[in-house]
Amino acid sequence: MATATHGYDVIVIGLGGMGSAAAYHLAARGQRVLGLEKFTPAHNKGSSHGGSRIIRQSYFEDPAYVPLLLRSYELWEKLAADSEREVFRLTGGLFLGPPDSLTVAGSLRASREWSLPHEVLDAAEIRHRYPSFTPEPGDIAVYEDKAGFARPELTVQAHIDLALRSGATLSFGEQVLDWAETGSGVTVTTESATYHADQLVICPGAWAPELLAKFGIPITVERHVLYWLDPIGGAAAFADQPIHISENSSGEQIYTFPAIDGPEGGVKTAFFRRGIECTPDTIDRVVHQHEIKAMRDRVAELVPALDGPCLHSATCMYSNTPDQHFVIARHPDSARVTVACGFSGHGFKFVPVVGEILADLTIDAKTAHPITLFDPQRLVADDNSIA
């Protein structure tokens, strides 16, 4: 194994959504950056793939996320301009269900607290405006004009390209075996070399339990399935639909996209938080017929035209914290290690601003962004400190 003879200001482990954004923002600020990734650029082995991810501001998870979303939207626009790629598109968003459901009540709370433009539609208005939907009589929806979707693979590649343009060194197909702090910095050992740097940023995705074991941050990895259904009557009727998230009376959430890839691409849909615990090594990449049937049965309750054949499917992984809020922080016992993980199935819309935050924390040891919610100390039991 070779030992690197030159050092870097920052090493970034993991070049998926968050890591590629961090590498770009750090390099753009003049840092000497080395990025290390186990797989190929914009790969499909983790979470940053699948053709589309919902972006929205009426955030039912917690209104505390909204300021980060507002900044993220600014950075999405900058990324699109700088990369000359359509990394995101606004389609409008419909958040639908019983009035007291998390999807509806939470979206409405965030919209009102932050004065976000929105509409509230009753069931009759939903059916009139969007004939494909058949809500229950008591359902309502929050409509947000600024919702839409991001393109995960394009986004990752755009950040990679911009990081390289800004002088970063990025190595793909190089698996990290270990990392450690030294008296003068950090070392990262891979299959082929040992690298040295002043600072380390770890964006491990579903590999968090492995790479962050010494931190004691509790992360559970889940397998989730994405489905592309062929609508009855064709996909043309879904070309101009908004993205949508709905919740039924039992609290089960599903989401759909417009037909964004033309008539042959189908309509993407999935359950939200109906996963099976796994690891990156044990995940079942096969999508089974009983899973397809369950998806078709569920979506037929609200969007009957989507109860058509499954054109194709894919698996991805959620990396969940116990409270489903992120972990973004410097390690409390280290001035050299910054971590971003546990994005719990709703992190991709924050990719641009997380990159900015990680650059702040790495260079300045602080950020002006509100990230108290993401302090890992909240997740530690008993002694209230990270091991």
Side-chain angles (χ1 to χ4, degrees):
M1 179 183 295
T3 300
T5 57
H6 59 282
Y8 296 89
D9 294 321
V10 188
I11 296 174
V12 179
I13 298 177
L15 294 173
M18 306 305 174
S20 63
Y24 161 62
H25 280 278
L26 286 161
R29 297 191 200 181
Q31 298 291 294
R32 295 171 300 161
V33 176
L34 171 65
L36 298 170
E37 168 58 53
K38 179 179 180 179
F39 300 108
T40 56
H43 63 83
N44 64 356
K45 301 296 191 296
S47 302
S48 300
H49 68 98
S52 56
R53 289 289 184 273
I54 287 175
I55 59 173
R56 52 193 166 93
Q57 296 181 355
S58 301
Y59 219 62
F60 58 75
E61 286 84 351
D62 195 310
Y65 285 88
V66 174
L68 295 176
L69 288 163
L70 296 177
R71 176 56 177 161
S72 198
Y73 268 57
E74 293 175 350
L75 292 172
W76 278 116
E77 292 182 359
K78 185 177 188 303
L79 180 63
D82 290 348
S83 67
E84 299 181 329
R85 292 182 171 123
E86 190 189 36
V87 292
F88 79 102
R89 187 189 306 171
L90 300 184
T91 63
L94 198 65
F95 312 121
L96 188 156
D100 61 351
S101 65
L102 174 64
T103 302
V104 173
S107 298
L108 195 56
R109 176 188 171 201
S111 297
R112 289 172 173 168
E113 186 169 321
W114 290 98
S115 300
L116 301 174
H118 66 282
E119 299 176 69
V120 179
L121 310 178
D122 63 21
E125 291 171 310
I126 296 167
R127 287 191 293 268
H128 174 73
R129 189 179 297 189
Y130 306 106
S132 299
F133 290 87
T134 57
E136 296 293 325
D139 285 349
I140 65 171
V142 177
Y143 176 80
E144 176 194 339
D145 198 47
K146 287 196 171 183
F149 64 89
R151 292 283 200 177
E153 292 91 344
L154 281 181
T155 297
V156 172
Q157 192 62 57
H159 276 133
I160 287 171
D161 292 345
L162 290 172
L164 291 169
R165 189 186 306 173
S166 298
T169 300
L170 306 181
S171 179
F172 296 91
E174 187 167 0
Q175 182 175 355
V176 171
L177 301 178
D178 199 9
W179 60 270
E181 292 186 77
T182 68
S184 58
V186 294
T187 63
V188 175
T189 302
T190 72
E191 296 170 314
S192 58
T194 297
Y195 301 99
H196 304 277
D198 296 327
Q199 295 282 329
L200 177 63
V201 176
I202 307 177
C203 300
W207 288 262
E210 177 183 344
L211 277 173
L212 299 179
K214 63 185 74 176
F215 280 4
I217 298 173
I219 302 287
T220 301
V221 179
E222 287 183 345
R223 168 189 179 271
H224 285 260
V225 181
L226 312 172
Y227 307 85
W228 284 261
L229 303 179
D230 189 12
I232 298 169
F238 289 84
D240 297 321
Q241 292 282 343
I243 62 93
H244 122 272
I245 303 172
S246 67
E247 184 174 340
N248 62 16
S249 58
S250 63
E252 185 177 64
Q253 292 171 301
I254 62 170
Y255 58 92
T256 65
F257 291 83
I260 61 179
D261 293 317
E264 304 302 320
V267 174
K268 181 182 170 185
T269 186
F271 290 102
F272 189 45
R273 306 206 182 284
R274 183 170 158 169
I276 300 171
E277 192 168 335
C278 69
T279 71
D281 293 327
T282 64
I283 182 173
D284 181 2
R285 297 285 184 182
V286 176
V287 178
H288 302 279
Q289 287 301 313
H290 70 87
E291 295 177 303
I292 295 172
K293 182 180 185 305
M295 186 75 256
R296 288 182 59 180
D297 289 348
R298 175 65 182 88
V299 80
E301 298 172 6
L302 179 65
V303 196
L306 279 187
D307 187 17
C310 183
L311 297 174
H312 63 101
S313 56
T315 59
C316 71
M317 289 180 283
Y318 287 8
S319 304
N320 298 320
T321 63
D323 60 7
Q324 298 173 356
H325 294 309
F326 311 156
V327 170
I328 307 174
R330 276 199 158 201
H331 189 276
D333 299 325
S334 172
R336 299 188 182 276
V337 181
T338 304
V339 175
C341 62
F343 289 94
S344 303
H346 63 111
F348 198 86
K349 60 188 71 63
F350 297 90
V351 157
V353 73
V354 169
E356 184 172 70
I357 290 167
L358 292 173
D360 291 344
L361 294 176
T362 302
I363 297 170
D364 303 322
K366 62 183 179 179
T367 181
H369 292 295
I371 61 169
T372 303
L373 184 62
F374 311 139
D375 187 339
Q377 296 288 345
R378 76 187 193 277
L379 302 173
V380 180
D382 299 328
D383 67 353
N384 199 36
S385 64
I386 297 179

